Amino acid sequence: MAGPLRTEGPSRIEGMQPAPGVHVAITDRHGGVSAPPYGSRNLGGLVGDDPAAVRANREGVAAELGVRGVVFMRQVHSADVAYVSEPFGDDPPPLDGVFTSEPGLALASLGADCPAVLVADPVARLVGAAHSGRPGTEAGIATALVEAMAGKGAQPYRMVALIGPGACGRCYEVPADLRERVAAKVPETWSTTSWQTPALDLRAGIEAQLRAAGLNDVRHDARCTIESDELYSHRRQQPGGRFAGLIWLT
Ligand SMILES: [Zn+2]
């Protein structure tokens, strides 16, 4: 694994190449044109930011990554996955997972505390991206993505996954009954905040789901969105923007 690499200058995209021909990037708050409180590289279209700024930020990311297009979903905390061969355009369908075999087509999962799940089978030449916040983790979106990719020829044992930044298990406080309910489905999510109250560790839960689906190579960008001012966090700041985890083939 080469990287993680940090690009020079104002762009500040975390990039890495987890397998031959497979590229992953995590954007942050910097390098875009959005005004406060969205400053400056907000990629979320439904958070109240100026649509022209969001469009410019999205085009800037595509240009910087050198991809021909970026697929943005209308994320609704579901477990629904689709194969894509082109960007959706202005009215994307409600989905939380997409996958493709098209080189140069980046798949984006937007987040402000919800981890992106980025997976690839470098042999089958398939990449996928999912948005796995609390409801999506409970619903099993990461599992659904792996199964959908396996249905098109991917093999879980040779897949590599990166779980992106999110609210960490020491910060993501939830009511006790919610922790009970989520952990009943995904036991590894059970957590406690650093101040000893009920919490959820989504990243631990997603990793368990991926390993149960047959993956052996699960990596983390373990930055906590609540603790890192470099990233957008819904828990820390409202209104606010969205950053993206992206994956694509070359
Ligand atoms: Zn944290």
Side-chain angles (χ1 to χ4, degrees), residues 166-172 224-227:
C168 87
R170 306 291 286 170
C171 293
Y172 185 32
C224 171
T225 47
I226 294 175
E227 295 175 76

Side-chain angles (χ1 to χ4, degrees), residues 202-219:
L202 295 181
R203 197 182 286 110
I206 296 164
E207 174 166 357
Q209 289 172 327
L210 292 170
R211 291 194 183 280
L215 275 73
N216 301 308
D217 189 345
V218 180
R219 308 173 191 190

Side-chain angles (χ1 to χ4, degrees), residues 15 26 45 52 54 63 66 68 74 80 99 154 160 170 182 210 214 243:
I26 308 288
V54 175
R68 67 174 173 85
R74 179 153 65 86
D80 296 329
F99 66 106
V160 53
R170 306 291 286 170
V182 177
L210 292 170
F243 65 93

Side-chain angles (χ1 to χ4, degrees), residues 3 28 46 73-74 127 137 146 157 159 190 203 218 224:
D28 66 16
L46 300 172
M73 301 175 277
R74 179 153 65 86
V127 292
T137 303
V146 170
Y157 74 86
M159 283 182 175
W190 179 279
R203 197 182 286 110
V218 180
C224 171

Side-chain angles (χ1 to χ4, degrees), residues 118-216:
L118 307 171
V119 298
D121 179 339
V123 178
R125 297 273 299 162
L126 285 168
V127 292
H131 161 248
S132 191
R134 192 269 303 161
T137 303
E138 210 178 346
I141 180 67
T143 308
L145 177 63
V146 170
E147 288 176 351
M149 293 172 68
K152 289 266 193 178
Q155 294 286 348
Y157 74 86
R158 64 185 181 212
M159 283 182 175
V160 53
L162 176 75
I163 303 172
C168 87
R170 306 291 286 170
C171 293
Y172 185 32
E173 184 177 48
V174 295
D177 58 342
L178 182 58
R179 178 175 69 173
E180 287 279 354
R181 193 184 83 204
V182 177
K185 279 190 181 163
V186 192
E188 295 80 2
T189 58
W190 179 279
S191 190
T192 304
T193 62
S194 57
W195 56 98
Q196 304 302 313
T197 58
L200 289 170
D201 187 338
L202 295 181
R203 197 182 286 110
I206 296 164
E207 174 166 357
Q209 289 172 327
L210 292 170
R211 291 194 183 280
L215 275 73
N216 301 308

